[in-house]
Amino acid sequence: MKFKTTSATNPATAKVDTLLVGVFEGEVNDLTNATDSARSVILATANAAQRQAVAEGFKGAVGETLVHFSDNRLTAKNVVFYGLGARDKTSIFTFRKAVTAALKRAKALKAEVVGFTALDAKSVAGEGTDTAKVAETVASYAAMIDYVMNHQKTAKGGHKKETRFRKLHLIVDAASLDATERGLEAGFAVGRAVNFARDLANEPANELTPHAMTKYARGVAAASNGTISCTVHDRKALKKMGANLLLAVSQGSEEPPYLMDLVYTPAGYKGDASSEAAQLTIVGKSVTFDSGGIDIKVNGGSRHMKRDMSGGGVAMAAIQVIAALGLNIKVRAVMAATENMVDGKSYKPGDVLTSMNGLTVEIDNTDAEGRLTLADAIEYAKRKGDTNIVDLATLTGAVKGVTGDVGACAFGNHDDFTNTVVAAAMSQDEKLLNVPMWEEFRASNNTEMADLKNSGGQPGSTTAAFFLRAFAGEEINWVHLDIAGVAFRDRELGPDPRGATGFGVRTLVELARRLAK
Ligand code: BES
Ligand code: MN
Ligand code: ZN
């Protein structure tokens, strides 16, 4: 998708397929008074659009849209009026909802060139918003809504290629041109990264093996203009470093495991010795298929487990876009990739393993494999000296009972850092609930045979978090995001399609922006 920004263009004559015009709630009765750009559109339609809006009861509420076919009086084939809500109640949150509805309507009209007008930041998105943010929102949402799943339907099978947005044309006032272009560029980068994470999670497990993941990781580094390095540790290296929990999970698979380490170093970074330098580590669960292992998943439980590497895909996409935005923060992304399969060589319930950090673990359930891979990945990051770790993992089905398919649960060991992560997420409409880690549950992972067992019973998501916390320790900042409920959905929601959502990318970008110095 390309973009174009112009000032001085009359929206009525802009060469676009569909023109999107925002309208404030309660100002529909005289659209010619509403906004300058609405006025020129209305006048060009000889008030037909105005009469249509009134007749159809279009109020301008957030989420509402009205299509007007312009009958050759406008250059655009059609206009989508979309509600911005009441003028004194607008915010970036109402604006995102409004833009989502508008862009979805344009998509349904098969628009390829989409025009946006009437984007005065303070009025459409409230105080505290600026032109660049509004443009970034428009671009990132356009990219996300333009997403087409990486399916493998063919023309032979009767598939017709989807219509895609080709160009976004923003008509703004002259003073806003530069900030608009900056915002659009950043927004496209973020939206594309979300789509990259979605593609990774949607890709079938027969293709997206741990080894295939390493190719994507190398690709991210190769396309980073030298700002991201990629190190891939194979089985031999993993044995040497003692990543026995990850190795145990991989035992039953024909596919070898890999631990990927991507490091973004911003230009002019002072180096690890500098206490000034901001740092963030993203650990993403990267189980490319989770059959459950010997404790096999039944009743269709493994049907969507190709997406059990969603966290790793988000980690990879996030570091890619944080680098593309040139944020001044050192970032590491760690993906410990493996399958969890059933075989004579599989690890078994009752096995006792020594983790990379030295704690011993008794396997209580081979389907609680994610926390094993993450424990070694967290220890890997700690050995590198990292002190701010966020892990993202499709870890427990139980989390759906708390945050459903709308948001994720956050568990952390330091409230300041956890609150920073939660605030960053909420500001992006990625909902996070900070779940307390009550001490009473810490002992749930105790067992007679070893330091820990890998399944601590109810409440499943909290005891899983306590397992990870045993490896993160109390010294460094660590937050675990259980994204099992939101990483993929069986319905469309907001700017997300069915299937993989890429949940977490926007949170991580915002977090990096807030931590960057
Ligand atoms: N990958 C699953 C969790 C999951 C379930 C993600 C549904 C997305 C949708 C995880 O490895 C798992 O199997 N967890 C078990 C843990 C249990 C055995 C302690 C679970 O949640 O049932
Ligand atoms: Mn599992
Ligand atoms: Zn899993």
Side-chain angles (χ1 to χ4, degrees):
M1 202 187 317
K2 292 188 302 186
F3 69 79
K4 178 176 174 184
T5 53
T6 53
S7 61
T9 303
N10 179 352
T13 56
K15 290 197 182 71
V16 299
D17 300 334
T18 297
L19 187 63
L20 305 181
V21 180
V23 174
F24 294 102
E25 189 163 2
E27 300 184 9
V28 179
N29 281 331
D30 191 358
L31 283 177
T32 55
N33 269 337
T35 56
D36 288 349
S37 41
R39 181 185 311 138
S40 62
V41 172
I42 298 303
L43 296 176
T45 64
N47 285 322
Q50 167 79 60
R51 279 178 278 122
Q52 189 191 346
V54 173
E56 293 194 16
F58 174 78
K59 298 271 187 302
V62 174
E64 242 188 319
T65 56
L66 173 85
V67 180
H68 173 74
F69 288 88
S70 60
D71 195 18
N72 295 332
R73 279 177 286 205
L74 289 168
T75 309
K77 288 182 204 139
N78 40 53
V79 181
V80 172
F81 292 98
Y82 64 97
L84 289 164
R87 203 182 264 276
D88 59 351
K89 292 212 177 79
T90 58
S91 67
I92 194 69
F93 296 95
T94 59
F95 184 62
R96 289 192 193 114
K97 285 207 174 75
V99 163
T100 298
L103 287 166
K104 283 190 173 179
R105 199 73 200 260
K107 177 65 63 188
L109 292 164
K110 299 206 185 307
E112 293 182 34
V113 182
V114 179
F116 256 101
T117 185
L119 288 174
D120 170 59
K122 289 204 173 20
S123 44
V124 299
E127 290 295 331
T129 319
D130 59 28
T131 302
K133 271 277 160 257
V134 163
E136 181 175 330
T137 301
V138 168
S140 58
Y141 276 63
M144 288 190 284
I145 286 164
D146 192 46
Y147 180 72
V148 175
M149 194 185 290
N150 48 346
H151 62 69
Q152 301 184 33
K153 290 173 182 285
T154 63
K156 189 166 187 181
H159 181 70
K160 278 221 208 71
K161 262 211 153 81
E162 295 82 2
T163 308
R164 306 292 296 270
F165 292 152
R166 273 195 296 117
K167 196 198 283 177
L168 212 55
H169 180 172
L170 269 70
I171 302 159
V172 296
D173 57 51
S176 308
L177 278 175
D178 283 356
T180 302
E181 284 189 15
R182 250 189 300 123
L184 288 175
E185 200 138 350
F188 277 136
V190 172
R192 276 197 300 263
V194 173
N195 292 344
F196 175 42
R198 290 169 176 173
D199 273 348
L200 287 168
N202 284 329
E203 190 166 338
N206 61 326
E207 292 172 0
L208 192 77
T209 57
H211 185 257
M213 254 185 112
T214 68
K215 290 195 195 160
Y216 283 106
R218 290 189 203 278
V220 164
S224 72
N225 292 318
T227 61
I228 298 179
S229 67
C230 175
T231 310
V232 176
H233 299 282
D234 63 9
R235 187 176 262 143
K236 201 171 140 211
L238 291 167
K239 277 194 180 136
K240 204 164 157 202
M241 66 176 85
N244 298 319
L245 300 185
L246 171 61
L247 288 164
V249 173
S250 76
Q251 260 168 229
S253 170
E254 303 277 314
E255 298 290 340
Y258 294 96
L259 187 147
M260 292 156 258
D261 178 7
L262 290 171
V263 178
Y264 162 59
T265 311
Y269 185 77
K270 291 197 197 71
D272 295 56
S274 163
S275 56
E276 318 294 318
Q279 189 273 325
L280 173 66
T281 304
I282 309 164
V283 174
K285 175 172 171 180
S286 301
V287 175
T288 62
F289 187 75
D290 179 11
S291 72
I294 296 297
D295 290 302
I296 196 165
K297 288 184 183 295
V298 295
N299 298 327
S302 64
R303 175 61 183 87
H304 297 292
M305 286 301 120
K306 69 174 183 182
R307 298 197 178 98
D308 211 17
M309 41 50 67
S310 293
V314 167
M316 222 188 276
I319 196 170
Q320 181 272 321
V321 63
I322 288 167
L325 296 174
L327 301 186
N328 191 27
I329 178 170
K330 184 160 181 165
V331 180
R332 179 192 310 283
V334 181
M335 286 79 55
T338 179
E339 288 185 336
N340 183 24
M341 301 300 278
V342 194
D343 184 79
K345 290 200 173 67
S346 293
Y347 77 133
K348 297 174 282 292
D351 286 359
V352 175
L353 306 154
T354 303
S355 72
M356 189 166 151
N357 105 334
L359 289 171
T360 55
V361 177
E362 182 182 22
I363 301 306
D364 187 58
N365 191 316
T366 64
D367 199 9
E369 84 298 339
R371 64 198 77 182
L372 300 172
T373 66
L374 292 166
D376 282 343
I378 289 169
E379 170 62 15
Y380 176 89
K382 284 181 71 180
R383 284 190 186 178
K384 297 287 180 188
D386 294 358
T387 52
N388 292 313
I389 302 181
V390 178
D391 79 65
L392 297 98
T394 47
L395 205 64
T396 65
V399 81
K400 294 179 197 177
V402 185
T403 39
D405 69 353
V406 173
C409 286
F411 303 84
N413 61 354
H414 290 280
D415 278 341
D416 282 358
F417 188 60
T418 310
N419 291 337
T420 303
V421 174
V422 171
M426 295 304 283
S427 79
Q428 299 305 303
D429 272 343
E430 291 194 318
K431 295 208 168 54
L432 277 189
L433 176 69
N434 184 356
V435 179
M437 296 191 72
W438 288 330
E439 282 303 323
E440 286 85 343
F441 293 120
R442 195 188 282 271
S444 303
N445 295 311
N446 289 355
T447 172
E448 302 163 305
M449 276 300 289
D451 295 327
L452 292 159
K453 58 178 172 177
N454 76 331
S455 159
Q458 287 194 334
S461 309
T462 305
T463 54
F466 263 116
F467 182 88
L468 298 177
R469 186 163 173 169
F471 296 86
E474 305 299 324
E475 303 296 313
I476 60 153
N477 288 321
W478 157 82
V479 178
H480 157 60
L481 307 184
D482 194 332
I483 58 170
V486 282
F488 45 94
R489 300 193 184 99
D490 55 17
R491 59 167 176 157
E492 258 186 54
L493 191 64
D496 299 335
R498 272 164 57 87
T501 60
F503 182 99
V505 172
R506 283 164 285 162
T507 294
L508 292 165
V509 170
E510 179 63 18
L511 179 64
R513 278 175 162 161
R514 289 178 184 208
L515 296 178
K517 300 225 165 105

